[in-house]
Amino acid sequence: MSSHHRFEPGTVHLLRLETGSDLVEEITRFAVDNHLRAAWLSFLGAVRRASLRYYDQEAREYRDFTIDRHLEVLSGVGNISMLDGRPFLHAHAAFADDAGAAFGGHLNIGCEVWSIEVRLEQLHGEPPVRAFDEPTGLNLW
Ligand code: ZN
């Protein structure tokens, strides 16, 4: 095991994100405004556009792509930890088009919300802090 953090369960927040807002920015703003340093969350709903990243493990770099269509959010999951002294959202999601075809990835800035419902559980304990991890090339806790 590379990392272990122990928490006591905290307040559960339900959020509905506003039409036209940015999915990653809105959840991050909520975390910053409410001084959340550790949380786990799930979400569902719909977006007007998905902006995603795929991490190429050999090249050790992200490849960004955008799906500029209206999509259902089948399932989203993420967490809040600390990076460079600020709350940082790490989230992945699966989306579906009008034929039910699914795809997904790591969420990037640029996912435009149609309507998203979020369940966010605050965690009480020493927050996980992200730092550069040589074997993966990523900032991990
Ligand atoms: Zn990721």
Side-chain angles (χ1 to χ4, degrees):
M1 189 176 310
S2 302
S3 173
H4 172 242
H5 300 266
R6 183 185 168 88
F7 295 98
E8 298 304 322
T11 305
V12 173
H13 303 266
L14 292 184
L15 320 172
R16 190 179 72 80
L17 306 186
E18 206 168 314
T19 305
S21 65
D22 184 282
L23 177 51
V24 170
E25 288 181 344
E26 280 295 286
I27 295 173
T28 301
R29 181 174 302 119
F30 181 82
V32 170
D33 289 351
N34 290 277
H35 310 288
L36 304 186
R37 296 160 58 85
W40 204 270
L41 58 107
S42 58
F43 54 92
L44 76 167
V47 295
R48 288 170 164 162
R49 178 181 61 239
S51 182
L52 303 169
R53 313 189 89 184
Y54 170 85
Y55 190 69
D56 183 325
Q57 296 177 15
E58 290 184 3
R60 293 162 63 95
E61 61 187 22
Y62 279 106
R63 287 193 234 136
D64 295 350
F65 59 102
T66 297
I67 302 163
D68 203 358
R69 301 175 60 181
H70 295 177
L71 301 164
E72 296 289 331
V73 181
L74 304 180
S75 181
V77 64
N79 60 54
I80 300 287
S81 60
M82 298 301 288
L83 176 66
D84 298 330
R86 287 174 46 87
F88 174 80
L89 171 67
H90 180 205
H92 290 195
F95 299 89
D97 67 13
D98 58 355
F103 31 78
H106 172 115
L107 296 194
N108 204 358
I109 301 285
C111 295
E112 187 182 335
V113 171
W114 172 251
S115 179
I116 298 280
E117 299 167 347
V118 182
R119 177 195 189 278
L120 183 150
E121 181 174 3
Q122 208 168 340
L123 299 170
H124 294 302
E126 196 56 38
V129 176
R130 291 185 180 274
F132 183 72
D133 177 69
E134 180 54 40
T136 62
L138 294 166
N139 290 317
L140 302 178
W141 39 259

Coordinates of all heavy atoms in Angstrom, one line a residue, residues 32-64:
V32 N -13.3 25.2 -2.0 CA -12.5 26.4 -1.5 C -13.4 27.2 -0.5 O -12.9 27.6 0.6 CB -12.0 27.2 -2.7 CG1 -11.4 28.5 -2.2 CG2 -11.0 26.4 -3.5
D33 N -14.6 27.6 -1.0 CA -15.4 28.5 -0.2 C -15.8 27.9 1.2 O -16.0 28.6 2.1 CB -16.7 28.8 -0.9 CG -16.5 29.7 -2.1 OD1 -15.4 30.2 -2.3 OD2 -17.5 29.9 -2.9
N34 N -15.9 26.5 1.2 CA -16.3 25.9 2.5 C -15.1 25.2 3.2 O -15.3 24.5 4.2 CB -17.3 24.8 2.2 CG -18.7 25.5 1.8 OD1 -19.4 25.9 2.7 ND2 -18.9 25.6 0.5
H35 N -13.9 25.6 2.8 CA -12.6 25.1 3.5 C -12.6 23.6 3.6 O -12.2 23.1 4.6 CB -12.5 25.8 4.8 CG -12.7 27.3 4.8 ND1 -11.8 28.1 4.2 CD2 -13.7 28.1 5.2 CE1 -12.2 29.4 4.3 NE2 -13.4 29.4 4.9
L36 N -13.0 22.9 2.5 CA -13.0 21.4 2.5 C -11.6 21.0 2.1 O -11.1 21.5 1.0 CB -14.0 20.9 1.5 CG -15.5 21.2 1.7 CD1 -16.3 20.5 0.7 CD2 -15.9 21.0 3.1
R37 N -11.0 20.2 2.9 CA -9.6 19.7 2.6 C -9.5 18.3 2.2 O -8.6 17.8 1.6 CB -8.7 20.0 3.7 CG -8.6 21.5 4.0 CD -8.1 21.9 5.4 NE -6.8 21.3 5.8 CZ -5.6 21.9 5.5 NH1 -5.6 23.0 4.8 NH2 -4.5 21.3 5.8
A38 N -10.6 17.5 2.5 CA -10.7 16.1 2.1 C -12.2 15.8 2.0 O -13.0 16.1 2.8 CB -10.1 15.2 3.2
A39 N -12.5 15.2 0.8 CA -13.9 14.8 0.6 C -13.9 13.7 -0.5 O -12.9 13.6 -1.3 CB -14.7 16.0 0.1
W40 N -15.0 13.0 -0.6 CA -15.3 12.0 -1.6 C -16.6 12.3 -2.2 O -17.5 12.7 -1.5 CB -15.2 10.6 -1.1 CG -14.9 9.6 -2.2 CD1 -15.7 9.0 -3.0 CD2 -13.5 9.2 -2.6 NE1 -15.0 8.2 -3.9 CE2 -13.7 8.3 -3.7 CE3 -12.3 9.5 -2.1 CZ2 -12.6 7.8 -4.3 CZ3 -11.2 9.0 -2.8 CH2 -11.3 8.1 -3.8
L41 N -16.8 12.2 -3.5 CA -18.0 12.7 -4.1 C -18.4 11.8 -5.3 O -17.6 11.2 -5.9 CB -17.9 14.2 -4.5 CG -16.8 14.5 -5.5 CD1 -17.4 14.8 -6.9 CD2 -16.0 15.7 -5.0
S42 N -19.7 11.9 -5.6 CA -20.3 11.2 -6.8 C -21.3 12.2 -7.4 O -21.8 13.1 -6.7 CB -20.9 9.9 -6.5 OG -22.0 10.0 -5.5
F43 N -21.5 12.0 -8.7 CA -22.5 13.0 -9.3 C -23.1 12.3 -10.6 O -22.6 11.3 -11.1 CB -21.8 14.3 -9.7 CG -20.5 14.1 -10.5 CD1 -20.6 14.2 -11.9 CD2 -19.3 14.0 -9.9 CE1 -19.4 14.0 -12.7 CE2 -18.1 13.8 -10.7 CZ -18.2 13.9 -12.1
L44 N -24.2 12.9 -11.0 CA -24.9 12.4 -12.2 C -25.7 13.6 -12.8 O -25.9 14.6 -12.1 CB -25.8 11.2 -12.0 CG -27.2 11.5 -11.3 CD1 -28.0 10.2 -11.4 CD2 -27.0 11.8 -9.8
G45 N -26.1 13.5 -14.0 CA -26.9 14.6 -14.6 C -26.6 14.6 -16.1 O -26.6 13.6 -16.8
A46 N -26.4 15.8 -16.6 CA -26.2 16.0 -18.0 C -25.3 17.2 -18.3 O -25.3 18.2 -17.5 CB -27.5 16.2 -18.8
V47 N -24.5 17.1 -19.4 CA -23.6 18.2 -19.8 C -24.0 18.6 -21.2 O -24.5 17.8 -22.0 CB -22.1 17.9 -19.6 CG1 -21.8 17.7 -18.2 CG2 -21.8 16.7 -20.5
R48 N -23.6 19.8 -21.6 CA -23.7 20.3 -23.0 C -22.4 19.9 -23.7 O -22.4 19.9 -25.0 CB -23.9 21.8 -23.0 CG -25.2 22.3 -22.5 CD -25.2 23.8 -22.4 NE -26.5 24.3 -22.3 CZ -26.8 25.6 -21.9 NH1 -25.8 26.3 -21.4 NH2 -28.0 26.0 -21.9
R49 N -21.3 19.7 -23.0 CA -20.0 19.4 -23.6 C -19.2 18.8 -22.6 O -19.2 19.2 -21.4 CB -19.4 20.7 -24.1 CG -18.0 20.5 -24.8 CD -17.4 21.8 -25.2 NE -17.1 22.7 -24.1 CZ -17.6 23.9 -24.0 NH1 -18.4 24.4 -24.9 NH2 -17.4 24.7 -22.9
A50 N -18.4 17.8 -23.0 CA -17.4 17.1 -22.1 C -16.0 17.4 -22.5 O -15.7 17.3 -23.7 CB -17.7 15.6 -22.1
S51 N -15.2 17.8 -21.6 CA -13.8 18.1 -21.9 C -13.0 17.1 -21.0 O -13.1 17.2 -19.8 CB -13.5 19.5 -21.5 OG -12.2 19.8 -21.8
L52 N -12.3 16.2 -21.6 CA -11.7 15.1 -20.9 C -10.2 15.0 -21.2 O -9.7 15.6 -22.1 CB -12.4 13.8 -21.3 CG -13.9 13.8 -21.1 CD1 -14.6 12.6 -21.8 CD2 -14.2 13.8 -19.6
R53 N -9.6 14.1 -20.4 CA -8.1 13.9 -20.5 C -7.9 12.3 -20.4 O -8.6 11.7 -19.7 CB -7.3 14.5 -19.4 CG -7.6 16.0 -19.2 CD -6.6 16.6 -18.2 NE -5.6 17.2 -19.0 CZ -4.5 17.7 -18.6 NH1 -4.3 17.8 -17.3 NH2 -3.6 18.2 -19.4
Y54 N -7.0 11.9 -21.2 CA -6.5 10.5 -21.1 C -5.0 10.5 -20.8 O -4.3 11.2 -21.5 CB -6.8 9.7 -22.4 CG -6.2 8.4 -22.4 CD1 -6.8 7.3 -21.9 CD2 -4.9 8.2 -23.0 CE1 -6.3 6.0 -21.9 CE2 -4.3 6.9 -23.0 CZ -5.0 5.8 -22.5 OH -4.4 4.6 -22.5
Y55 N -4.6 9.8 -19.7 CA -3.2 9.8 -19.4 C -2.5 8.7 -20.1 O -2.8 7.5 -19.8 CB -3.0 9.7 -17.9 CG -1.6 9.9 -17.4 CD1 -1.0 11.2 -17.5 CD2 -0.8 8.9 -16.9 CE1 0.3 11.4 -17.1 CE2 0.5 9.1 -16.5 CZ 1.0 10.4 -16.6 OH 2.3 10.6 -16.2
D56 N -1.6 9.0 -21.0 CA -0.8 8.0 -21.7 C 0.4 7.6 -20.7 O 1.3 8.4 -20.4 CB -0.2 8.7 -23.0 CG 0.6 7.7 -23.8 OD1 1.3 6.8 -23.2 OD2 0.6 7.9 -25.0
Q57 N 0.3 6.4 -20.3 CA 1.2 5.9 -19.2 C 2.7 5.7 -19.7 O 3.6 5.8 -19.0 CB 0.7 4.6 -18.6 CG -0.6 4.7 -17.9 CD -1.1 3.4 -17.4 OE1 -0.4 2.4 -17.3 NE2 -2.4 3.4 -17.1
E58 N 2.8 5.5 -21.0 CA 4.2 5.4 -21.6 C 4.8 6.8 -21.9 O 5.9 7.0 -21.5 CB 4.2 4.5 -22.9 CG 3.9 3.1 -22.5 CD 3.9 2.2 -23.7 OE1 4.3 2.6 -24.8 OE2 3.7 1.0 -23.5
A59 N 4.0 7.7 -22.5 CA 4.5 9.0 -22.8 C 4.5 9.9 -21.5 O 5.2 10.9 -21.5 CB 3.7 9.7 -23.8
R60 N 3.8 9.4 -20.5 CA 3.7 10.2 -19.2 C 3.2 11.6 -19.4 O 3.7 12.5 -18.9 CB 5.0 10.2 -18.5 CG 5.4 8.8 -18.0 CD 6.9 8.7 -17.6 NE 7.3 9.6 -16.5 CZ 7.4 9.2 -15.3 NH1 7.1 7.9 -14.9 NH2 7.7 10.0 -14.3
E61 N 2.1 11.7 -20.3 CA 1.5 13.0 -20.5 C 0.0 12.8 -20.8 O -0.4 11.7 -21.2 CB 2.2 13.7 -21.6 CG 2.1 13.0 -22.9 CD 3.0 13.7 -24.0 OE1 3.9 14.5 -23.6 OE2 2.7 13.5 -25.2
Y62 N -0.8 13.8 -20.5 CA -2.2 13.8 -20.8 C -2.5 14.1 -22.2 O -1.8 15.0 -22.8 CB -2.9 14.8 -19.9 CG -3.2 14.3 -18.5 CD1 -2.5 14.8 -17.4 CD2 -4.2 13.4 -18.2 CE1 -2.7 14.4 -16.1 CE2 -4.5 13.0 -16.9 CZ -3.7 13.4 -15.9 OH -4.0 13.0 -14.6
R63 N -3.4 13.4 -22.8 CA -4.0 13.8 -24.1 C -5.4 14.3 -23.9 O -6.2 13.6 -23.3 CB -4.0 12.6 -25.0 CG -2.6 12.1 -25.5 CD -2.8 11.2 -26.7 NE -2.0 10.0 -26.3 CZ -2.5 8.7 -26.5 NH1 -3.7 8.5 -27.0 NH2 -1.7 7.7 -26.2
D64 N -5.6 15.5 -24.3 CA -6.9 16.2 -24.0 C -7.8 16.0 -25.2 O -7.4 16.1 -26.4 CB -6.7 17.7 -23.8 CG -5.9 18.0 -22.5 OD1 -5.7 17.0 -21.7 OD2 -5.5 19.1 -22.3

